[in-house]
Amino acid sequence: MTEKIAVIGGGAAGMLAAYAAAQNGAQVTLYEKNEKLGKKIYITGKGRCNVTNGCGQERFFDQVVSNPRFLYSAFAAFDNRAMMRLLEQAGCPLKTERGERVFPVSDHASDVIRALERLLLQSGVKVRLNSRVKRLLTKTGERDGQPLCEITGIELADGKRESADRVILATGGLSYPSTGSTGDGLLWAGELGHVMTETAPALVPFEIREDWCRQLQGLALKNVELSLELAGKEIYRGFGEMLFTHFGISGPLALTAGSYYSAALARKRKKGMDGEQARLFLNLKPALTPEQLDKRLWRDFEEQKNKDFKNALDGLFPARLIPVMTALSGISPDKKVHEITRQERRAFAELIRRVPLTVTGTRGFAEAIITRGGVGVKGINPSTMESKRVKGLYFAGEMLDVDALTGGFNLQIAWSTGYLAGRSASQGGEEG
């Protein structure tokens, strides 16, 4: 008899789950509460959709912040190369850019979604848009003398009940709630007895205490280094691009640091510890050693020794950053360069390599790219994505307590876990 599978959530994980399940001959219905599929995919990569990352397996897992080992089976079943082949075969040619980030050649996320929609159509998946699921239907029984909870179907918002042999939950986390990620699946999982790990915004911008950040709103810096310290201990250091905003800092560097910050705070709270003051340090000249930077300053100052300090920094910083760095240095902006002491010059060099920023918090879920935390992975079979508590219930995507850094890694987690969940559900939960 043909298996009936309900997939809840028409995002990245849900679409791959539905496709994989249908490939094995199951009768698949995909329920999406929005008016279209892939609503969050439309805004990823600034509308270009960073589909995946073309790196090797070792580097891929290095980029996973939470529970990388849980993903081994999912990645083995359907990795980044498999996803790239699938999209290209579905009529969406891809290209690889800096950092091995993979995008559609067209630079339009809509082309990725259209390719996936074609795959669903060709596979016979029934797509139900504007269909909000209200709750999961289960029955209780016994197996080997132990109580057993088993999926029987779903109930829609209009009260209609539909039977299903298997249900795949791919409802997403809490980030970008405007796209429909409102935590429905997390609530259902908790009600069914799954251990839930604390959720928090991840890949999220920082709010900064210093007012001068707001003065620089809109200024982007490239090739800089950012380090994050919590209670005096460095927990992240990265190189790349960042952006000053009206609330603090954003951009790839800040977003990545934001994930490490969220994870560190969660670990401390789990141990019953309060969050200590976090600080960020910005290195504006990471390519230079302290000695090289001091020599560079000495040379620049020698060449402009009769200028005022504030007018001798054009070769070092963007124009908008000069008055800020001048003020932070403590050196009078009108002081002649030849009057600056060696001690002042060296202190200025140290400032350039370690501009301090005081973290007051992060932005909320509305601005977070992903959600950290969710359904605890210990309650899920990593070889199948099936719940250990509820027979016939599978999980995929962002609602799992797995998250990674920027660069296409989180979308690949969605593709891989979705594919494995769909394949396993269509095989009745059997491994392989």
Side-chain angles (χ1 to χ4, degrees), residues 75-242:
F75 199 73
F78 191 79
D79 62 10
N80 48 357
R81 303 293 172 188
M83 186 61 198
M84 292 164 70
R85 284 195 301 272
L86 182 66
L87 282 176
E88 295 204 310
Q89 289 167 3
C92 180
L94 304 173
K95 60 181 177 180
T96 302
E97 298 185 356
R98 178 179 52 82
E100 298 189 83
R101 290 168 163 83
V102 179
F103 294 89
V105 169
S106 66
D107 284 330
H108 295 307
S110 56
D111 287 345
V112 174
I113 297 165
R114 275 195 287 269
L116 294 171
E117 287 175 334
R118 284 193 292 272
L119 289 171
L120 295 175
L121 180 64
Q122 292 164 6
S123 302
V125 174
K126 184 177 181 181
V127 177
R128 299 267 299 271
L129 300 176
N130 298 302
S131 297
R132 188 172 71 83
V133 175
K134 182 179 179 181
R135 66 188 181 101
L136 306 181
L137 302 177
T138 60
K139 66 179 180 181
T140 55
E142 192 176 282
R143 180 200 286 171
D144 300 327
Q146 298 295 320
L148 174 69
C149 182
E150 186 173 359
I151 280 288
T152 60
I154 62 171
E155 182 179 333
L156 298 171
D158 61 8
K160 184 179 179 182
R161 294 186 172 197
E162 300 192 359
S163 63
D165 300 299
R166 315 271 185 272
V167 170
I168 301 172
L169 272 185
T171 56
L174 297 166
S175 59
Y176 293 129
S178 60
T179 64
S181 298
T182 51
D184 298 346
L186 299 176
L187 180 62
W188 300 332
E191 289 174 343
L192 289 171
H194 291 87
V195 174
M196 309 297 291
T197 58
E198 180 184 4
T199 55
L203 293 181
V204 62
F206 282 101
E207 294 181 342
I208 301 297
R209 176 178 298 163
E210 283 76 11
D211 284 336
W212 59 262
C213 278
R214 283 165 276 285
Q215 297 169 23
L216 296 175
Q217 178 181 347
L219 175 65
L221 299 178
K222 295 183 178 181
N223 303 319
V224 295
E225 186 178 72
L226 189 68
S227 59
L228 170 66
E229 294 183 5
L230 190 61
K233 181 182 178 182
E234 183 177 285
I235 59 174
Y236 168 76
R237 179 183 293 266
F239 174 86
E241 302 176 18
M242 59 161 287

Side-chain angles (χ1 to χ4, degrees), residues 239-250:
F239 174 86
E241 302 176 18
M242 59 161 287
L243 173 73
F244 290 104
T245 70
H246 67 283
F247 54 77
I249 61 170
S250 187

Side-chain angles (χ1 to χ4, degrees), residues 206 228 230 235 256-266 278 359-362:
F206 282 101
L228 170 66
L230 190 61
I235 59 174
T256 299
S259 275
Y260 280 94
Y261 176 70
S262 294
L265 288 187
V359 175
T360 58
T362 61

Side-chain angles (χ1 to χ4, degrees), residues 52-53 55-72 74-75 80 202-203 256 259-260 263 267 370-373 377 397 400-414 416-417:
T52 187
N53 194 285
C55 69
Q57 181 173 314
E58 185 175 345
R59 180 167 179 264
F60 184 92
F61 287 112
D62 283 344
Q63 303 303 301
V64 181
V65 178
S66 305
N67 301 310
R69 292 173 62 87
F70 175 78
L71 294 170
Y72 288 175
F75 199 73
N80 48 357
L203 293 181
T256 299
S259 275
Y260 280 94
R267 286 194 298 270
I370 58 167
T371 303
R372 187 201 170 278
V377 297
L400 296 166
D401 181 18
V402 185
D403 62 276
L405 304 181
T406 57
F409 302 101
N410 288 289
L411 257 183
Q412 184 58 50
I413 289 173
S416 294
T417 57

